Amino acid sequence: MKKIRKASSILLCLTLSASLLAACGSSKEDAEGSKGTDSASASVAGVKKEGFPIVDKPLTLKVMSQDAGKADWNKMPVLQEMEKLSGIHLEPQLAPIDSFATKKNLVFASGDLPDMFYAADLKPAEQVTYGTQGVLIPLEKYIDEGYAPNLKKILDEHPDVRKSFTTPDGHMYALPFIDTGAVWYRGPMWYNGKILKALNITELPKTTEELYTFLKRVKDEDPNGNGKKDEIPLTSVKLDDLRMYFFGFWGMYDEKIYADKDGKVHYSPQEEGYKGYLTFMNRLWKEDLLDHETFSQTPEQKKAKGNDNRIALFSDYFPYFTLGGEPSTDNPLMTPVASDIPGTPVYGKHPGMSANGTFAITSKNPSPEATMRWIDYLYSYDGATLFNQGPEGLLWKYKDKANHVKEWLPVPGGGDREDYRGTITPNYGILTPGVSDPEVSKGLRESFADWIDKENAEKLTPIGKAPFPNVYLTNEEQTEASALFSDLDTYVQQMEAKFVTGQEPLSNWDNYIAQIKKMGGDRIVELYQGAYDQWNSSKK
């Protein structure tokens, strides 16, 4: 679990274009805004549009969030510093990560609302439903009236972000985490460098046939050198960790819905490329090249095999999370391979923002203006630094403040820096509102991070495309789509396992497709094609 938490926190530090936050820093000077007028340039009474503290009188706000369980939020230095800065005290209402969705649903159902949701994982359907019901309030008014200058600058420079979080009724009910330089949607695939070296492989496979040949060699040639046939050429956990990466070998950008480069929407489980994927995976299964514990093992069991140097190809956020040891450039990122489908491979890259909303303000909030100022700080350089790395002097200090160059300090009391970071900030192990800014990690990045950037630039970025924008269906459409997906997801998951393991022969493909269409596969495409066309034509 520790390494999973690390992966989540590292996700928050992926780099993006340096221009994103240029001139976006929040001033810490105490500047009074005008009060008590109806002008869009004036502040409401008691709330400043510029400077700190944000409020004239102390304000307490109830915040509901996920909790990684590392420390008491009331004692976190980051939140204590933010309270001193802003004049706003947070009263946390927390739920463990694994049960947060259930607790969130109960809160919405009961009407006993917090003032704001933080790291809320608000799905598009939740934003539309609770926004139109008045439970979540529209945010664009406060953004455009000057209570979120950092965020507004980003939205103005990246209009796709604004329109991707604007619902069909024209409102923004939630805010995203923004990272326009992100590449990975989830952990990619990695080769075990020791096995590559043992097999004297200097050029990675570039086609599905070359990949098959490599996996066969792993099985037959004892590359871990222990005299046992215990090598596992390819492993997975229920195929969830490799599916999206492998789909690209057959021209598909996403596990469910994607738009191709011509704007045509596809439902992957009924595509011809999906049949190619199933055929290949079944071939690997029959020849013991795909781990036969794929559908039964846990992530921890998979990692244990990696630590024993038995796995040749696998998915994880970073290779050493599975193989053990320290960050190393010895285990290369998998080059996506081409199948017999023209135009392959492709890669479904990160869309540059979170798929779900990370922050929202409820109708119970006594001061939306002050709350918007509070959250806007996280979209600035200073705010991103505070919430991701803690206050200066604790884990880091400036080496060259004028140029934002930092250096690490020893971890207080020793131990792991990332574990300690989880005790000082709420931004640990959960996807939170804010922005990824390369300036924040200036001077702190290690050579491993630079190597990752190089691997991405060479292997993924040239063939990458965001699968589908963050679109919203109407309430009626969302209800219909949710009902269709409820049945389709179950059927597709069951049939995938049966096709791959041979319980269902691929000769029954036509029967499978007929059932998918009967269950609404074409209707799913129709719904999302309409939403995509509306999004694509939007000038917001």
Side-chain angles (χ1 to χ4, degrees):
M1 200 57 161
K2 171 181 169 183
K3 289 178 178 176
I4 294 173
R5 298 285 185 243
K6 286 187 178 182
S8 300
S9 61
I10 292 169
L11 175 61
L12 303 180
C13 298
L14 291 176
T15 58
L16 79 171
S17 59
S19 64
L20 186 59
L21 253 75
C24 254
S26 241
S27 170
K28 291 189 179 181
E29 295 178 2
D30 193 0
E32 286 283 353
S34 302
K35 302 174 185 177
T37 76
D38 293 329
S39 167
S41 63
S43 303
V44 299
V47 181
K48 301 173 186 174
K49 286 187 175 178
E50 297 177 342
F52 292 100
I54 292 169
V55 290
D56 289 345
K57 297 179 180 179
L59 174 67
T60 295
L61 297 173
K62 295 178 181 179
V63 56
M64 182 176 178
S65 183
Q66 304 180 65
D67 183 17
K70 296 291 289 185
D72 181 351
W73 278 35
N74 290 303
K75 298 178 181 178
M76 286 182 173
V78 164
L79 294 180
Q80 292 173 342
E81 180 70 17
M82 190 62 178
E83 182 174 344
K84 285 191 291 184
L85 195 64
S86 67
I88 297 173
H89 172 72
L90 296 187
E91 188 177 296
Q93 298 177 344
L94 307 177
I97 294 172
D98 295 341
S99 60
F100 177 76
T102 301
K103 180 67 181 294
K104 180 177 60 174
N105 290 337
L106 291 174
V107 165
F108 278 128
S110 69
D112 185 17
L113 299 167
D115 297 313
M116 61 179 175
F117 286 97
Y118 185 87
D121 194 32
L122 289 163
K123 297 173 177 57
E126 293 174 323
Q127 297 169 43
V128 171
T129 298
Y130 298 115
T132 56
Q133 289 178 3
V135 176
L136 303 178
I137 68 170
L139 304 179
E140 72 278 356
K141 172 179 183 284
Y142 306 103
I143 296 171
D144 294 333
E145 288 185 358
Y147 292 100
N150 297 299
L151 180 57
K152 187 176 189 307
K153 181 174 175 58
I154 295 170
L155 297 180
D156 289 347
E157 292 179 352
H158 300 271
D160 276 5
V161 176
R162 181 187 281 265
K163 75 177 184 178
S164 293
F165 268 78
T166 299
T167 60
D169 64 358
H171 294 304
M172 294 181 70
Y173 295 110
L175 300 180
F177 174 76
I178 302 169
D179 184 357
T180 61
V183 176
W184 303 343
Y185 226 123
R186 57 181 59 187
M189 303 295 297
W190 306 93
Y191 286 106
N192 181 334
K194 290 180 180 178
I195 286 181
L196 291 177
K197 187 174 181 180
L199 295 176
N200 197 30
I201 292 175
T202 57
E203 187 171 339
L204 300 178
K206 290 186 171 57
T207 68
T208 52
E209 280 305 308
E210 290 178 6
L211 176 60
Y212 167 79
T213 299
F214 163 74
L215 297 175
K216 281 281 289 181
R217 290 189 63 193
V218 173
K219 179 189 174 188
D220 295 339
E221 298 183 26
D222 189 29
N224 68 7
N226 65 358
K228 303 176 183 178
K229 276 191 168 291
D230 63 348
E231 287 85 358
I232 301 169
L234 172 65
T235 193
S236 174
V237 177
K238 298 179 175 61
L239 301 179
D240 291 340
D241 49 358
L242 64 73
R243 188 183 297 113
M244 188 156 168
Y245 207 86
F246 271 48
F247 269 24
F249 308 166
W250 284 272
M252 299 174 289
Y253 287 99
D254 189 71
E255 298 173 60
K256 285 189 181 181
I257 296 291
Y258 68 92
D260 63 26
K261 292 183 178 179
D262 296 322
K264 182 181 178 182
V265 173
H266 301 262
Y267 176 50
S268 297
Q270 65 182 24
E271 291 294 304
E272 194 63 26
Y274 186 61
K275 182 181 181 182
Y277 157 79
L278 292 175
T279 302
F280 185 75
M281 299 305 289
N282 173 249
R283 180 186 184 189
L284 300 186
W285 181 274
K286 287 190 297 187
E287 299 189 33
D288 290 329
L289 304 182
L290 172 62
D291 192 346
H292 277 210
E293 294 182 347
T294 284
F295 295 100
S296 60
Q297 70 180 342
T298 65
E300 288 72 25
Q301 289 170 324
K302 183 188 87 168
K303 291 177 189 294
K305 296 172 183 177
N307 273 259
D308 286 341
N309 194 33
R310 295 174 56 203
I311 301 172
L313 180 61
F314 59 93
S315 172
D316 209 329
Y317 199 80
F318 291 132
Y320 67 95
F321 286 2
T322 289
L323 299 177
E326 297 299 318
S328 165
T329 62
D330 295 334
N331 307 295
L333 181 72
M334 181 188 191
T335 301
V337 297
S339 65
D340 56 1
I341 292 180
T344 60
V346 299
Y347 175 72
K349 76 181 286 289
H350 197 285
M353 68 195 89
S354 57
N356 296 330
T358 59
F359 178 85
I361 299 175
T362 77
S363 57
K364 295 291 182 71
N365 192 299
S367 183
E369 296 86 357
T371 306
M372 185 57 72
R373 276 290 322 276
W374 188 94
I375 198 62
D376 182 63
Y377 188 58
L378 276 70
Y379 290 89
S380 72
Y381 166 81
D382 288 333
T385 292
L386 176 63
F387 274 75
N388 283 302
Q389 297 164 355
E392 182 181 3
L394 199 54
L395 277 178
W396 63 276
K397 69 177 181 179
Y398 277 114
K399 190 174 183 179
D400 179 358
K401 189 169 185 178
N403 293 303
H404 292 163
V405 180
K406 304 177 182 133
E407 60 183 349
W408 291 118
L409 295 172
V411 177
D416 183 83
R417 182 185 296 117
E418 191 64 18
D419 283 343
Y420 183 81
R421 196 183 71 84
T423 68
I424 67 173
T425 178
N427 286 23
Y428 176 87
I430 52 179
L431 190 62
T432 57
V435 64
S436 176
D437 176 15
E439 290 288 296
V440 170
S441 57
K442 212 171 172 182
L444 303 179
R445 285 171 58 91
E446 299 174 349
S447 59
F448 179 72
D450 294 330
W451 175 75
I452 293 290
D453 288 347
K454 185 172 179 291
E455 290 283 276
N456 285 335
E458 291 177 356
K459 299 174 180 179
L460 301 183
T461 304
I463 59 172
K465 174 189 174 297
F468 204 73
N470 190 59
V471 303
Y472 295 88
L473 303 177
T474 64
N475 272 324
E476 295 76 16
E477 291 170 337
Q478 186 63 63
T479 299
E480 182 182 2
S482 296
L484 292 174
F485 274 133
S486 178
D487 293 333
L488 281 167
D489 289 351
T490 300
Y491 178 69
V492 168
Q493 183 180 22
Q494 291 173 347
M495 293 304 294
E496 178 188 47
K498 289 180 178 180
F499 279 131
V500 169
T501 60
Q503 295 178 49
E504 186 81 16
L506 281 157
S507 58
N508 286 345
W509 171 257
D510 289 344
N511 294 336
Y512 161 81
I513 288 295
Q515 182 63 22
I516 286 284
K517 292 183 180 299
K518 183 179 178 181
M519 296 174 71
D522 288 342
R523 178 56 177 160
I524 287 290
V525 172
E526 183 181 0
L527 288 169
Y528 281 90
Q529 185 71 63
Y532 179 83
D533 291 343
Q534 182 180 7
W535 176 88
N536 206 35
S537 63
S538 172
K539 301 301 180 184
K540 292 185 179 73

